[in-house]
Amino acid sequence: MTAEPKVAKSPAMIEARGVEKWYPNGFHALRGVDLTVQRGEVVVIMGPSGSGKSTFIRTFNALEDFQKGSITVDGIALNDDLRQIDAIRREVGMVFQQFNLFPHLSVLDNLTLAPVLVRKRSKGDVLNQAMALLERVGIAEQAHKFPGQLSGGQQQRVAIARSLCMEPRILLFDEPTSSLDPEMVREVLEVMQGLAADGMTMVVVTHEVGFARQVADRVVLMADGQVVEEAMPEQFFDHPQHERSRQFLSQIL
Amino acid sequence: MPRVVRSSLRKELFANPIDGLVSVLLISGVGAAGYGLIHWALTQAQWVVIQANSTLFAVGRYPIEQQWRLWLLVALVAAATGLSWGALRGLPQRDRPITAVWPRNDRIAAIVLVALCGWAPAALGLAWPIQARWWALTALLLVLRWLAGRYASRLRKVATLGLPLLWPLLYLVGMVLIGGGLGLVTVGANEWGGLLLTLIEASFAILLSAPLGVVLALGRRSSLPLLRWGSIAYIEFIRGAPLITLLFLGQNILGFLLPGGLAPDRIWRAAWILTFFSAAYLAEAVRAGLAAVPRGQLEAARSLGLNLPQALSRVVLPQALRIALPATVGQFISLLQDTTLLSLIGLLDLLGTARSVMANPLYLGKSAEVYLTLAVLFWCCCAALGLGSRALERRLNPPTLGP
Ligand SMILES: Nc1ncnc2c1ncn2[C@@H]1O[C@H](COP(=O)(O)OP(=O)(O)OP(=O)(O)O)[C@@H](O)[C@H]1O
Ligand SMILES: [Mg+2]
């Protein structure tokens, strides 16, 4: 990884340049990926299974490392400096396919844990904000339950609220609705749509075409560790330029 | 017999001819053995060997004029037990709501305790004042159990924070009371014996091997090669060697390794060996717990900005330790039983004391009485550990969706 000087706020929220990653077993998962995400933009990443979508967005908050290229998040270069990584993780929220709520903590404690520990905010202060966030995602009445007592859709909304409670500047979503029953997909997508409308910068890996069409500013298609096509949603879904994109769309539409 | 009980008994024991036959055979076998044992215990056994040596079994050769310190310690332990028991009752039991201050199981336990303290001191032929002391101790335990249970819901925060601190603190106080110092006359470790020594060794090893085991388990999963291989080598070495060889090794080697005055007393050497031994097994229990926590938990914690120590201590370990609790307590129980090996290296623990008593020509041929008493004593200690851990486990399980 090239040591990049820490630059003052660049206009882009995320700048990935020529990112290459090999897994320890030698698998070349990312083969020179470029992506720029502007402030307030919603970018949807699509692509066949195994194309490296998860690997790519997980490099943004250093859950995966990479060997070549550079990534800058909100002006902070991602390198091996642990303090930089912590600084970036504070600003980047992530929502997982499996929710990953902390099952031994109540919903409210799931939300307040990180702000109190990491941002050193007072518990009372965070509690108010957490209740407001639960209100916003429509589950304030479940605040004192435990994750295991909630439905999948409710759990994913708690997970979104938990990320928001850290007041991140970017939210990453890795297939947030893929493990939900169909009737719960909508409630989660509505929350995400609301966030986009409020100007949150979001990178979303999803196969929800309706969401991509309505909410995304750009759609990116990845295949075999590379970006194949990058376009506005209407352009991408109605007039895909590349053979690989047409092939992929014919499978999911 | 109520009809429900009768019909369920019938279903469980006599559902078909073969079941019925097996049941009859089992019941008559167990019945005959039980009858034989009770018959022997009541008519043939000569319990005078236990009565005459009860103090020896309890505390070994601990000086009589200092034994008030042990009484005080027992009183403190009884008080702490009562408090913990009651407080645990008040914690929300997550699979069913709290119902009463004295739920059925607790009533049974209390009745058993009262019966035991009425019967055992009398059966041992203790003097009246001593018997009265045991009654007072039992009363203290039950009264504190009642008070703590009554006000537990109000003191929940204090209980969850205070109880884990109370016991280690009590341990330190107990060690001062037993060993002396801080103005008390010193009673050397070589004067401890019997149940006292067994419990000291076991509790020392339990308290210290728990954190050591967690560290080893984390080390084994660490990404730092030195730490990982060190932990693996340690765990596998210890688990590959029989405890008795380690105990002998410890008695001899520690003396050579450490310069003169630093080598701990034989009793402490044994305690450290037990600790190191138990830590290796605990590490495996904790490792299984860590492996059962999904990877996503650590990732979610890290992506929220928690650093590794925070993520481990607040997210991963609480879940891993809860999963590892039954195996951990199982390890503690076998550790308690393993302390009997100390008699083989010449320490006068419970078994060592018993062997010295049985070597007395006066009590020739009385080993059955002695061994039965030891078995019952050990069984009581282990049952208490097991019951406590199950109660704790049920309260630590997070609630899930469902009936
Ligand atoms: N820890 C790992 N070690 C080796 N190879 C891995 C590892 N994790 C993922 N891979 C491989 O890297 C490739 C990209 O994986 P990734 O999870 O990023 O794909 P994806 O696009 O998110 O797929 P999906 O839609 O199934 O989630 C896959 O071929 C996968 O097998
Ligand atoms: Mg994926």
Side-chain angles (χ1 to χ4, degrees):
Chain A
M1 178 178 345
T2 49
E4 204 127 319
K6 187 179 168 180
V7 284
K9 298 260 154 92
S10 73
M13 200 57 122
I14 296 179
E15 277 222 56
R17 289 280 157 270
V19 176
E20 299 208 38
K21 172 174 178 83
W22 285 264
Y23 273 108
N25 65 0
F27 183 77
H28 197 176
L30 299 177
R31 303 162 180 253
V33 191
D34 294 317
L35 182 72
T36 305
V37 181
Q38 303 295 339
R39 267 161 225 286
E41 228 185 351
V42 176
V43 174
V44 163
I45 301 181
M46 293 189 161
S49 180
S51 55
K53 309 177 295 290
S54 300
T55 308
F56 186 47
I57 70 164
R58 286 158 59 91
T59 57
F60 297 165
N61 64 350
L63 284 182
E64 301 286 356
D65 59 358
F66 54 96
Q67 283 73 37
K68 276 196 190 157
S70 69
I71 298 179
T72 318
V73 178
D74 199 18
I76 310 173
L78 251 179
N79 48 40
D80 291 331
D81 186 347
L82 286 178
R83 264 169 309 170
Q84 301 277 49
I85 290 180
D86 283 344
I88 285 177
R89 282 183 177 151
R90 283 196 289 271
E91 309 306 330
V92 181
M94 186 158 211
V95 175
F96 300 83
Q97 180 176 352
Q98 300 301 337
F99 328 138
N100 292 346
L101 292 178
F102 306 135
H104 61 301
L105 300 178
S106 72
V107 165
L108 213 46
D109 289 340
N110 263 276
L111 265 67
T112 57
L113 180 73
V116 170
L117 274 183
V118 180
R119 293 224 190 268
K120 312 277 183 242
R121 293 171 51 194
S122 79
K123 180 96 184 220
D125 182 25
V126 182
L127 272 179
N128 287 334
Q129 187 197 1
M131 280 313 294
L133 282 171
L134 288 176
E135 197 93 49
R136 175 167 169 190
V137 298
I139 29 181
E141 71 281 7
Q142 319 279 4
H144 295 284
K145 289 197 177 164
F146 283 76
Q149 296 171 301
L150 304 182
S151 73
Q154 291 171 325
Q155 289 194 48
Q156 193 59 298
R157 285 184 283 154
V158 172
I160 294 173
R162 178 176 71 176
S163 288
L164 290 175
C165 211
M166 278 296 282
E167 300 178 334
R169 305 192 184 181
I170 315 154
L171 267 185
L172 309 174
F173 294 82
D174 191 358
E175 308 208 25
T177 55
S178 295
S179 54
L180 293 179
D181 293 338
E183 69 270 20
M184 295 173 185
V185 169
R186 217 183 49 164
E187 62 191 46
V188 171
L189 290 181
E190 274 169 5
V191 168
M192 292 168 60
Q193 198 161 0
L195 287 175
D198 290 351
M200 175 64 82
T201 310
M202 298 170 26
V203 180
V204 186
V205 175
T206 184
H207 291 159
E208 295 290 336
V209 175
F211 175 83
R213 269 184 189 276
Q214 270 190 306
V215 182
D217 296 305
R218 253 179 316 140
V219 178
V220 173
L221 186 98
M222 283 184 71
D224 304 320
Q226 282 172 317
V227 171
V228 173
E229 180 161 355
E230 197 176 331
M232 310 274 277
E234 310 82 55
Q235 172 80 20
F236 177 80
F237 290 113
D238 300 336
H239 310 286
Q241 299 295 303
H242 293 262
E243 180 50 36
R244 201 80 177 75
S245 310
R246 280 192 283 274
Q247 212 182 348
F248 174 73
L249 286 174
S250 72
Q251 277 161 6
I252 64 164
L253 288 177
Chain B
M1 227 187 315
R3 180 175 292 160
V4 202
V5 178
R6 223 175 340 170
S7 80
S8 88
L9 268 185
R10 189 138 137 206
K11 224 185 306 169
E12 279 172 20
L13 299 178
F14 302 102
N16 59 48
I18 297 191
D19 273 15
L21 186 67
V22 171
S23 297
V24 167
L25 283 178
L26 274 179
I27 290 174
S28 46
V30 169
Y35 174 78
L37 186 66
I38 290 173
H39 184 73
W40 171 82
L42 292 183
T43 61
Q44 289 166 344
Q46 295 183 342
W47 294 105
V48 66
V49 57
I50 305 295
Q51 290 170 342
N53 295 298
S54 59
T55 310
L56 203 58
F57 281 122
V59 300
R61 309 216 165 277
Y62 201 89
I64 293 178
E65 69 281 3
Q66 297 297 332
Q67 282 180 6
W68 62 269
R69 283 152 50 171
L70 301 182
W71 283 105
L72 180 57
L73 179 56
V74 174
L76 288 176
V77 170
T81 307
L83 283 177
S84 309
W85 181 7
L88 210 55
R89 243 323 138 207
L91 283 180
Q93 187 178 6
R94 285 164 180 174
D95 54 0
R96 50 190 134 123
I98 318 169
T99 41
V101 180
W102 290 101
R104 200 192 60 202
N105 289 352
D106 288 34
R107 278 205 305 269
I108 295 176
I111 290 170
V112 168
L113 259 182
V114 169
L116 208 60
C117 103
W119 169 76
L124 284 172
L126 298 178
W128 277 111
I130 308 279
Q131 289 201 30
R133 269 186 218 174
W134 285 111
W135 301 337
L137 287 170
T138 308
L140 174 71
L141 194 160
L142 290 178
V143 166
L144 283 177
R145 155 69 185 78
W146 173 73
L147 280 176
R150 181 127 172 42
Y151 298 107
S153 49
R154 256 182 266 170
L155 301 173
R156 194 171 295 163
K157 262 261 139 54
V158 185
T160 44
L161 291 176
L163 287 185
L165 280 178
L166 175 67
W167 285 95
L169 191 69
L170 184 62
Y171 192 80
L172 292 180
V173 172
M175 285 322 296
V176 171
L177 278 176
I178 293 170
L182 299 182
L184 290 171
V185 184
T186 309
V187 178
N190 50 349
E191 293 178 279
W192 309 342
L195 185 61
L196 174 70
L197 182 60
T198 293
L199 291 181
I200 289 176
E201 297 275 334
S203 55
F204 181 88
I206 285 175
L207 275 177
L208 288 186
S209 67
L212 196 57
V214 172
V215 169
L216 281 169
L218 290 174
R220 187 164 190 165
R221 290 170 65 90
S222 160
S223 54
L224 305 174
L226 200 64
L227 198 58
R228 186 170 64 243
W229 289 110
S231 305
I232 291 179
Y234 176 88
I235 293 169
E236 295 308 333
F237 169 71
I238 298 274
R239 292 192 341 135
L243 176 55
I244 186 69
T245 59
L246 294 176
L247 282 171
F248 277 118
L249 260 181
Q251 292 301 331
N252 298 320
I253 284 193
L254 280 185
F256 294 130
L257 284 184
L258 300 168
L262 271 183
D265 183 84
R266 288 194 319 145
I267 290 196
W268 290 117
R269 271 184 232 173
W272 280 109
I273 297 290
L274 282 176
T275 305
F276 293 144
F277 179 80
S278 165
Y281 284 85
L282 275 190
E284 288 300 282
V286 174
R287 183 169 75 119
L290 285 172
V293 177
R295 238 192 113 60
Q297 291 290 310
L298 183 62
E299 288 177 351
R302 296 309 300 274
S303 73
L304 283 168
L306 274 66
N307 59 31
L308 189 60
Q310 288 171 333
L312 285 177
S313 66
R314 305 301 287 267
V315 174
V316 178
L317 275 178
Q319 300 180 53
L321 293 182
R322 198 197 76 236
I323 298 168
L325 185 67
T328 303
V329 174
Q331 174 52 34
F332 289 160
I333 287 176
S334 58
L335 175 68
L336 187 61
Q337 297 169 348
D338 285 344
T339 56
T340 49
L341 289 175
L342 297 181
S343 67
L344 294 186
I345 58 168
L347 296 189
L348 291 176
D349 71 320
L350 198 48
L351 185 61
T353 307
R355 282 154 54 106
S356 76
V357 166
M358 288 182 292
N360 184 338
L362 215 58
Y363 303 119
L364 218 56
K366 295 290 169 293
S367 42
E369 287 84 347
V370 173
Y371 282 129
L372 186 63
T373 309
L374 290 202
V376 169
L377 267 179
F378 271 107
W379 182 84
C380 287
C381 294
C382 296
L385 271 177
L387 280 177
S389 99
R390 229 165 306 151
L392 195 62
E393 209 179 309
R394 236 183 287 141
R395 283 165 183 77
L396 293 178
N397 279 338
T400 50
L401 206 58

